[in-house]
Amino acid sequence: MSVVTVQLGQCGNQVGQQLCDVMWSDAQHAEGKTYSSVSCERFFRRTSQGDFEARAVLIDMEPKVIKHSMNKAEKCGRWRYGETSHFSQKQGSGNNWANGYSVHGPRHRDALEELVRREVEHCDMLAGFLPVMSVAGGTGSGVGTFVTQCLRDAYPSSFVLNHLTWPYGTGEVIVQNYNSVLTLAHLYQLSDAILVHENDTVHRICSQLLKIKQISFNDINRVIAHQLGGVLQPTLTPDSCGTYSRHPVGELVSALACHPEYKLLSVCTIPQMSSSSMAFSTFSWPALLKHLRQMLISNTKMEEGIDWQVRPPPASAGRTGSLAAGSFNTSLANLLILRGKDVYSAETGAFEDSAIYTSWLPPEEAFSLWKSPVPFNKYEKSATLVSNSQALLRPLDDMVRKAWNMFASRAYIHQYDKFGISEEDFLDSFTSLEQVIASYSQL
Amino acid sequence: MTQSVIVQVGQCGNQVGCRFWDLALREHAHVNKKGQYDEALSSFFRNCTSGALLTYLHPQAVLIDMEEGVVNGILQGALREVFDSAQFLTDVSGSGNNWAVGNLTYGSAYKELIVDKLRKAAEHCDCLQCFFLIHSMGGGTGSGLGTRVLSLLEEEFPDVCRIVTAMYPSAEDDVITSPYNSVLAMRELTEHADCVLPVENQSLVNIVNKISLMSHGTKPGSVLRKDSAVTSGQGSLSPTEKPFDAMNNIVANLLLNITSSARFEGSLNMDLNEIAMNLVPFPRLHYLVPSLTPLYTLADVNIPTRRLDQMFSDAFSKDHQLIQADPKHSLYLACALMVRGNVQVSDLRFASPTPTDPKMTSTFLLSNNTPIQQSFMTLRSFNIFLLLSFQAHLHHYLHVDGMDQSIFSESLSSLNALIDEYHHLDATKARLLPDAPRLSIAR
């Protein structure tokens, strides 16, 4: 089964390139032969010359980043992008979601659909789509939303798992909150599940865990790619009967997105450290899983600075909407992916505690476990948790609040109106996101 | 890669424009040692050579003046080889410091010719993104014909971004009618431009004075590094410096900085249309105050170079601003920092490699803030009521065909409305606005 990655915009093309690179190098260094071949089949295809080409299409409205990503892949000499599997124009969307969604997207619809179709035809079996994009830019978010919509129309029975990069809280693009609100509200209708990485969180991981002094976007993308790789590389799932799972996207979606109101997935991975300190570290499954569980319930995205005081509320106490800091993070569903040595001895009972889940879903339904005995990306043992929980409630609420405040004074609306996104459309988007926020806070 | 066309109108516009071309050629020559036509060059220059080696570059420019002096000076100067006589449009008699003559008389007479030249320039572009219009606000040709060209651009190329660099006269201007001209031109700028970068003569004079004070100072260690000041022509082609060259170089540097990230690659690309998108929250309030730092570098290498933080705070101070208004205690509607040099995202978010000197980092700030209204208020107060009440010099304007008193009153009320809008926003800053009440979800 193969996954077609759709890289959109500057951010999407940079993250996507790193993702393919992580997948490739992990598959090449893995000991298990089946593991490498399944991983390769999932993300790469062999050309008639025997070279490996990524099952990815690159879409951007300006040529610079695509060229850069393709060159980077070419230079590493191990795999590359398809000669013709990219689409670019001369002029970007200028941070304007409306420009991407209602001008650039529709104008190039045929070319974009053709591009994806050709890639899909290369697959023996299509497991699903992975559109990779930023939530704040113009091309990534606007054209990305449009392309997701096209995928939905053209492949109604395929899974679409969107990966979104959320911008820094401040400082990237002034209209980022508008763009994010529009993207999320639309994707919520189209996508099967939305995987989210926040730049702020990943930045902290880079500085505190990986000890990188001058953090560049390259480092940030590397971490995102590592975490995503931990999710998407082959595993043994309960349904796969001892072989590597053949439905990575489908099983992920069915494990986590059990209700159309709840589609936001966050990812955390343990351990993460600089390669120099890895040689001096040993890991044990009980310690890793204990940390990971506390990271989950206290909503910490890395193993440093975990608040150990947070405990699941006693069953008798009523659940309250928890926006306050340091409060307990209720999950709807969790997917734990363990990779590495002695994986079958790992004890995961702590994640099946009914106290960490919502009352209306029994923990045996809410918790899934995937395993793979092959170490991932040079880590002897590693655990990745994909969680559909309140973790993203706070950043989502902040984003909607900031956008709503700007909308209250009607700032920047004329820029969107110019391309056919009216106040009405904004209001619709706000309404649907407020509904999402309300649903998550009632978990 | 997108292209831009520079339209320089009037004496001042042409002088600044020529400094810009001189510096731009120098900058590209510095980066592009091989002398090959590359993408960076293509944004402002057209390649007219047949061989592999660059011998003949053509700037994408239209030069308009209603007298021959300055343009003839260019044709005799060092830049004569770059320009083509087809790019020029001149008359002999000048506009006599009269906006009405420039805008109405010449505007109507030369309308077809101007449109023709603009279209020719645009046709050479692969993907035209932006028109840069440079003119003064005080003179007759610059303010009158310049703003006429602006409205022609809007008519002919409605989708192409229009960025105007407008030179405002100093308080004691030698042209008595300059307040009239400025007010009349202001209305056109407010209505037809996408962004205006206002530059005040007085600020340029102050900066030039400060730098010459520094360079003639006798304090040890405070010798300026050669060619590092923004006023230097960096080994200008002309052996004798013309009177306004130092001031014009500052403005030329401003234009170089604003276009740098569109011309060169960086980790976070910024497109020119992103400027208008992010910095103009309300369509009429599109006056972006520029400031530059550092203005010079000290020659003594033992003194540590200015740190990044220092440069940031400099950029927000009055001394580095090209407008006299004080930004302190004011309300910033939006601002963008553009940084060139070896800077990582961990330091900030916009970076493109430095083209001139790898050791030097420079910062360029564009801010949309309310104190700009101070400048407009001086413009308004400054003689205009006096002049209007005595109807002084009015007859010069009124005898021009198509000009009548109502144009004056409309322009003045347009300016008043603009000041009111800024004032209204400024008044909100004292009280912190509470968050707008959010949409609530019915339970």
Side-chain angles (χ1 to χ4, degrees):
Chain A
M1 291 288 262
S2 314
V3 178
V4 172
T5 311
V6 184
Q7 307 180 178
L8 291 142
Q10 175 166 9
C11 167
N13 278 300
Q14 286 169 348
V15 172
Q17 192 269 333
Q18 293 277 8
L19 178 66
C20 291
D21 210 45
V22 166
M23 296 298 190
W24 175 263
S25 64
D26 179 53
Q28 294 312 301
H29 291 103
E31 298 133 20
K33 223 168 165 211
T34 359
Y35 178 87
S36 346
S37 70
V38 171
S39 163
C40 257
E41 207 225 323
R42 202 170 270 185
F43 293 98
F44 298 90
R45 60 185 151 85
R46 267 201 124 105
T47 61
S48 44
Q49 286 88 35
D51 299 335
F52 284 95
E53 284 186 356
R55 294 185 192 274
V57 293
L58 300 85
I59 299 170
D60 198 358
M61 289 301 128
E62 32 173 22
K64 279 191 222 171
V65 179
I66 287 193
K67 223 195 270 161
H68 192 74
S69 285
M70 290 185 69
N71 282 343
K72 229 170 140 184
E74 188 90 36
K75 232 188 277 165
C76 78
R78 298 170 295 197
W79 60 277
R80 56 186 162 85
Y81 285 110
E83 225 40 82
T84 52
S85 48
H86 62 92
F87 177 85
S88 68
Q89 287 291 301
K90 301 234 163 60
Q91 185 167 5
S93 308
N95 292 152
N96 193 333
W97 188 89
N99 193 0
Y101 181 76
S102 9
V103 178
H104 283 311
R107 187 183 292 160
H108 307 298
R109 179 172 188 149
D110 293 345
L112 296 175
E113 282 183 341
E114 170 76 11
L115 194 67
V116 174
R117 190 182 54 76
R118 257 189 289 142
E119 199 56 55
V120 169
E121 281 171 1
H122 281 301
C123 304
D124 282 344
M125 260 170 97
L126 179 68
F129 294 98
L130 179 72
V132 183
M133 60 210 238
S134 78
V135 77
T139 304
S141 68
V143 178
T145 309
F146 181 82
V147 167
T148 311
Q149 193 176 315
C150 292
L151 292 178
R152 213 2 113 227
D153 291 347
Y155 309 91
S157 54
S158 295
F159 291 104
V160 179
L161 172 68
N162 280 78
H163 176 265
L164 297 181
T165 307
W166 280 20
Y168 286 97
T170 53
E172 270 182 84
V173 175
I174 294 176
V175 288
Q176 64 185 31
N177 296 313
Y178 275 164
N179 291 340
S180 311
V181 164
L182 291 166
T183 311
L184 276 175
H186 282 78
L187 284 187
Y188 229 80
Q189 314 295 327
L190 300 167
S191 185
D192 289 307
I194 301 168
L195 263 172
V196 175
H197 274 104
E198 295 165 84
N199 264 352
D200 279 315
T201 316
V202 181
H203 194 105
R204 278 204 301 281
I205 290 176
C206 284
S207 72
Q208 292 179 28
L209 295 181
L210 305 180
K211 314 278 187 223
I212 301 171
K213 286 270 155 22
Q214 282 213 316
I215 300 164
S216 67
F217 272 111
N218 214 8
D219 303 317
I220 291 184
N221 296 339
R222 193 106 211 142
V223 172
I224 296 177
H226 172 77
Q227 296 202 347
L228 262 183
V231 179
L232 294 170
Q233 281 293 47
T235 52
L236 307 164
T237 65
D239 300 339
S240 67
C241 316
T243 55
Y244 286 109
S245 160
R246 299 173 53 76
H247 304 275
V249 181
E251 282 185 41
L252 181 102
V253 168
S254 70
L256 289 165
C258 50
H259 189 293
E261 268 304 308
Y262 305 92
K263 287 185 179 173
L264 292 175
L265 312 180
S266 61
V267 187
C268 46
T269 296
I270 186 171
Q272 293 188 99
M273 55 180 62
S274 58
S275 50
S276 55
S277 43
M278 210 173 344
F280 305 100
S281 314
T282 52
F283 312 108
S284 73
W285 283 118
L288 286 180
L289 292 176
K290 191 177 169 216
H291 275 81
L292 192 61
R293 179 175 186 272
Q294 195 62 29
M295 279 158 71
L296 169 69
I297 63 174
S298 66
N299 189 17
T300 322
K301 284 280 166 285
M302 53 181 187
E303 51 188 301
E304 232 170 71
I306 300 176
D307 182 1
W308 288 95
Q309 303 304 316
V310 179
R311 296 257 179 282
S316 55
R319 292 271 164 81
T320 49
S322 44
L323 266 175
S327 64
F328 178 72
N329 178 30
T330 313
S331 310
L332 177 66
N334 287 318
L335 166 64
L336 181 61
I337 301 162
L338 305 179
R339 297 172 186 278
K341 241 167 76 180
D342 307 329
V343 76
Y344 300 109
S345 68
E347 183 48 59
T348 56
F351 288 90
E352 288 172 61
D353 179 2
S354 66
I356 58 178
Y357 295 102
T358 174
S359 52
W360 47 267
L361 203 63
E364 56 271 23
E365 299 294 325
F367 177 68
S368 331
L369 178 65
W370 296 358
K371 288 176 180 173
S372 154
V374 183
F376 173 63
N377 211 5
K378 300 185 197 115
Y379 285 91
E380 182 198 42
K381 296 185 176 101
S382 78
T384 306
L385 184 77
V386 191
S387 156
N388 189 349
S389 68
Q390 293 175 322
L392 292 165
L393 182 56
R394 178 181 273 280
L396 178 67
D397 189 64
D398 277 348
M399 179 188 284
V400 174
R401 179 177 50 80
K402 285 181 193 161
W404 183 250
N405 281 345
M406 260 160 78
F407 186 70
S409 55
R410 297 294 182 272
Y412 294 102
I413 298 296
H414 69 282
Q415 311 267 27
Y416 291 85
D417 204 51
K418 215 161 49 180
F419 297 111
I421 296 295
S422 62
E423 277 185 31
E424 227 80 314
D425 297 318
F426 270 99
L427 277 175
D428 287 348
S429 298
F430 277 117
T431 322
S432 59
L433 286 190
E434 291 288 0
Q435 180 64 51
V436 173
I437 292 174
S439 304
Y440 266 104
S441 45
Q442 278 163 26
L443 267 187
Chain B
M1 193 58 114
T2 55
Q3 284 88 33
S4 306
V5 172
I6 293 206
V7 186
Q8 34 201 70
V9 188
Q11 177 174 5
C12 172
N14 278 303
Q15 283 171 344
V16 170
C18 289
R19 296 312 312 145
F20 170 78
W21 293 115
D22 191 357
L23 291 181
L25 280 171
R26 231 158 267 290
E27 190 179 277
H28 281 292
H30 186 92
V31 187
N32 189 350
K33 297 273 191 223
K34 288 193 196 130
Q36 267 155 2
Y37 187 71
D38 57 0
E39 292 223 308
L41 265 172
S42 76
S43 58
F44 277 112
F45 295 93
R46 190 150 55 85
N47 191 5
C48 297
T49 38
S50 41
L53 203 67
L54 264 192
T55 48
Y56 191 58
L57 274 177
H58 221 59
Q60 279 147 201
V62 177
L63 293 80
I64 302 172
D65 201 356
M66 287 299 111
E67 26 178 59
E68 290 181 309
V70 178
V71 172
N72 278 349
I74 295 167
L75 282 176
Q76 284 150 18
L79 283 170
R80 66 179 173 274
E81 286 178 10
V82 241
F83 290 108
D84 179 357
S85 60
Q87 292 174 304
F88 295 99
L89 180 70
T90 52
D91 198 319
V92 280
S93 50
S95 308
N97 290 326
N98 189 333
W99 181 89
V101 173
N103 193 283
L104 299 168
T105 314
Y106 285 126
S108 312
Y110 284 102
K111 187 179 166 199
E112 270 80 38
L113 258 178
I114 293 174
V115 169
D116 192 47
K117 299 227 181 245
L118 291 173
R119 209 174 280 155
K120 282 229 175 74
E123 274 164 9
H124 286 301
C125 298
D126 197 13
C127 175
L128 177 61
Q129 181 165 50
C130 196
F131 281 109
F132 284 92
L133 188 61
I134 315 173
H135 62 77
S136 69
M137 296 295 278
T141 309
S143 75
L145 196 56
T147 49
R148 183 61 182 256
V149 170
L150 181 65
S151 58
L152 288 178
L153 284 176
E154 193 188 27
E155 258 170 53
E156 296 290 322
F157 309 92
D159 296 334
V160 182
C161 182
R162 298 171 296 277
I163 298 182
V164 182
T165 310
M167 255 67 67
Y168 283 77
S170 18
E172 59 272 8
D173 198 72
D174 44 355
V175 179
I176 189 112
T177 51
S178 74
Y180 278 155
N181 294 336
S182 309
V183 170
L184 289 165
M186 273 293 290
R187 176 189 175 204
E188 303 287 317
L189 290 188
T190 308
E191 281 171 13
H192 301 301
D194 281 323
C195 297
V196 179
L197 312 175
V199 175
E200 275 181 350
N201 256 336
Q202 194 54 48
S203 306
L204 299 181
V205 171
N206 292 350
I207 289 174
V208 170
N209 285 345
K210 195 158 53 177
I211 290 173
S212 67
L213 202 73
M214 279 303 288
S215 53
H216 296 122
T218 47
K219 246 198 307 177
S222 68
V223 189
L224 293 191
R225 207 164 80 197
K226 221 179 110 220
D227 297 347
S228 68
V230 286
T231 50
S232 90
Q234 300 188 350
S236 165
L237 285 169
S238 56
T240 51
E241 210 165 86
K242 293 201 204 74
F244 289 109
D245 267 5
M247 285 159 69
N248 291 340
N249 277 330
I250 301 178
V251 186
N253 261 300
L254 159 89
L255 285 169
L256 278 182
N257 278 328
I258 201 173
T259 54
S260 69
S261 70
R263 287 178 294 148
F264 300 99
E265 280 186 20
S267 68
L268 226 184
N269 274 319
M270 202 204 52
D271 229 356
L272 282 171
N273 51 3
E274 288 173 23
I275 294 177
M277 179 66 197
N278 282 300
L279 295 182
V280 184
F282 304 103
R284 281 165 58 89
L285 309 185
H286 53 234
Y287 292 85
L288 311 177
V289 181
S291 58
L292 293 164
T293 173
L295 295 171
Y296 50 81
T297 320
L298 294 176
D300 190 344
V301 286
N302 293 324
I303 297 172
T305 47
R306 315 193 115 209
R307 284 178 311 121
L308 220 49
D309 314 2
Q310 175 73 45
M311 291 202 344
F312 289 163
S313 50
D314 275 356
F316 284 96
S317 79
K318 189 181 167 210
D319 298 343
H320 292 73
Q321 218 172 255
L322 303 189
I323 278 286
Q324 293 278 292
D326 191 357
K328 272 204 185 102
H329 317 298
S330 71
L331 182 73
Y332 280 86
L333 300 182
C335 68
L337 270 169
M338 289 164 224
V339 182
R340 315 177 72 179
N342 186 17
V343 186
Q344 287 298 337
V345 257
S346 39
D347 304 317
L348 42 92
R349 308 286 144 72
F350 286 110
S352 69
T354 169
T356 41
D357 182 348
K359 287 183 298 264
M360 197 166 108
T361 311
S362 74
T363 317
F364 172 61
L365 173 80
L366 275 180
S367 52
N368 191 347
N369 55 5
T370 52
I372 180 98
Q373 61 171 317
Q374 297 164 10
S375 296
F376 297 158
M377 263 139 86
T378 35
L379 186 69
R380 179 178 59 171
S381 66
F382 167 76
N383 305 347
I384 190 125
F385 288 121
L386 195 69
L387 284 171
L388 266 184
S389 55
F390 288 100
Q391 308 247 314
H393 303 286
L394 259 192
H395 62 280
H396 291 302
Y397 288 80
L398 293 177
H399 77 77
V400 174
D401 259 354
M403 186 76 189
D404 61 51
Q405 196 104 30
S406 68
I407 296 186
F408 271 101
S409 49
E410 278 164 22
S411 300
L412 207 56
S413 60
S414 156
L415 181 60
N416 282 333
L418 187 68
I419 293 174
D420 282 348
E421 271 179 66
Y422 275 112
H423 192 75
H424 178 72
L425 283 170
D426 211 20
T428 59
K429 82 168 185 263
R431 53 200 163 86
L432 255 179
L433 286 178
D435 284 351
R438 297 262 292 265
L439 295 170
S440 56
I441 299 294
R443 306 238 154 93

